[in-house]
Amino acid sequence: MNILLAVDGSPYTKKMLAYLAAHKEMLGTDHTYTALTVQPQLPPRARAALGKDVVERYYQEEGEKVLAAVTKFLSRHGVDAKVMIKVGGAGDTIAKVAQSGKFDMVIMGTHGHSALGKLVMGSVSTQVLAKCDVPVLLIR
């Protein structure tokens, strides 16, 4: 299987990785993995003031911080994952990458907000589920 791991460096990402480690059928050399992190876009005024090179370097550095721990974890389990850093809305971007990258599954941690919390705040996992035809495994 070609699996997309949507990661953000939060404790929910750590729970997702722990789940994978505990379920050997999900983690191993039988599958290919891509770890994706999505950086929120800076406001237009900030981007204009900082300049394109500074902004791109910022996105890259922030993405690498998130991915470093994930790739280290996967490497300890014998998995050599591809990495991907994108900028934009997390839910939309994850769904687009999952579909355009021909992934068989998306695995991601979720905060597990209540129905009211999702209504008020929205949820990346809800957005991914709504916009993605690829199966999504949510780890809570």
Side-chain angles (χ1 to χ4, degrees), residues 123-139:
S123 165
V124 172
S125 56
T126 301
Q127 292 172 13
V128 173
L129 288 169
K131 297 177 180 184
C132 187
D133 293 332
V134 176
V136 178
L137 175 61
L138 298 175
I139 309 299

Side-chain angles (χ1 to χ4, degrees), residues 28-80:
T29 55
D30 295 342
H31 308 295
T32 58
Y33 300 88
T34 300
L36 166 68
T37 188
V38 181
Q39 297 300 308
Q41 192 169 46
L42 294 173
R45 288 184 133 178
R47 291 194 315 263
L50 294 171
K52 183 179 179 182
D53 291 341
V54 172
V55 170
E56 287 179 4
R57 189 169 52 247
Y58 168 78
Y59 291 142
Q60 186 68 29
E61 289 172 0
E62 291 301 306
E64 287 173 358
K65 286 179 194 174
V66 171
L67 292 169
V70 174
T71 55
K72 183 178 178 182
F73 171 88
L74 293 171
S75 163
R76 283 196 323 255
H77 288 85
V79 174
D80 184 28

Side-chain angles (χ1 to χ4, degrees), residues 69-119:
V70 174
T71 55
K72 183 178 178 182
F73 171 88
L74 293 171
S75 163
R76 283 196 323 255
H77 288 85
V79 174
D80 184 28
K82 297 174 195 156
V83 295
M84 190 180 300
I85 300 169
K86 296 287 184 178
V87 177
D92 290 334
T93 304
I94 293 166
K96 286 177 187 173
V97 169
Q99 296 195 168
S100 66
K102 303 205 184 326
F103 288 94
D104 299 308
M105 178 182 286
V106 177
I107 303 176
M108 58 191 291
T110 181
H111 295 194
H113 292 300
S114 67
L116 179 60
K118 287 179 188 171
L119 180 65

